[in-house]
Amino acid sequence: QVQLAESGGGLVQAGGSLRLSCAASGSIFSINAMGWYRQAPGKQRELVASIIGCGSTNYADSVKGRFTISRDSAKNTVYLQMNSLKPEDTAVYYCNIVANFQAYWGQGTQVTVSS
């Protein structure tokens, strides 16, 4: 079994920055992909950013140039650096890690951006 532990959410003013972290632990033989999703009230969960095994990254158009996904493979940890935050970035952010070819979700962390 694999467990995910998220941290780093909070309240920030527009234009500010936050860094989210998600550490995977447990019986991990391989990590195939890591990513961050978000869900705002009344909206569907959407992909924010992802990074696959070779290091290739993908971003939602709405966050390109502002958010950066990275990972520390030795720590099985994925990060999301969020800069120039906007009120429309307000959502619950979930990490998603595909480990041993199975997908696991974090518990979610609230990010609130005030105007």
Side-chain angles (χ1 to χ4, degrees):
Q1 192 69 358
V2 176
Q3 297 81 38
L4 304 186
E6 294 185 28
S7 61
L11 173 64
V12 65
Q13 288 187 334
S17 298
L18 285 173
R19 189 191 194 209
L20 306 183
S21 301
C22 177
S25 62
S27 300
I28 298 171
F29 302 102
S30 65
I31 290 187
N32 315 110
M34 309 174 98
W36 290 93
Y37 289 71
R38 68 186 180 186
Q39 188 166 18
K43 295 188 177 181
Q44 290 188 332
R45 190 173 298 189
E46 63 174 357
L47 175 67
V48 176
S50 63
I51 183 167
I52 62 175
C54 65
S56 178
T57 58
N58 181 52
Y59 295 91
D61 288 343
S62 59
V63 307
K64 283 181 181 176
R66 301 188 297 121
F67 291 10
T68 303
I69 189 170
S70 62
R71 65 185 178 186
D72 184 333
S73 298
K75 296 181 179 180
N76 291 331
T77 299
V78 61
Y79 305 96
L80 185 68
Q81 178 66 44
M82 305 184 292
N83 299 328
S84 302
L85 282 160
K86 304 175 180 180
E88 51 263 43
D89 295 318
T90 295
V92 178
Y93 284 70
Y94 299 89
C95 72
N96 173 272
I97 294 180
V98 180
N100 310 330
F101 298 101
Q102 291 188 7
Y104 297 90
W105 290 92
Q107 77 279 9
T109 185
Q110 177 70 46
V111 171
T112 302
V113 184
S114 63
S115 57

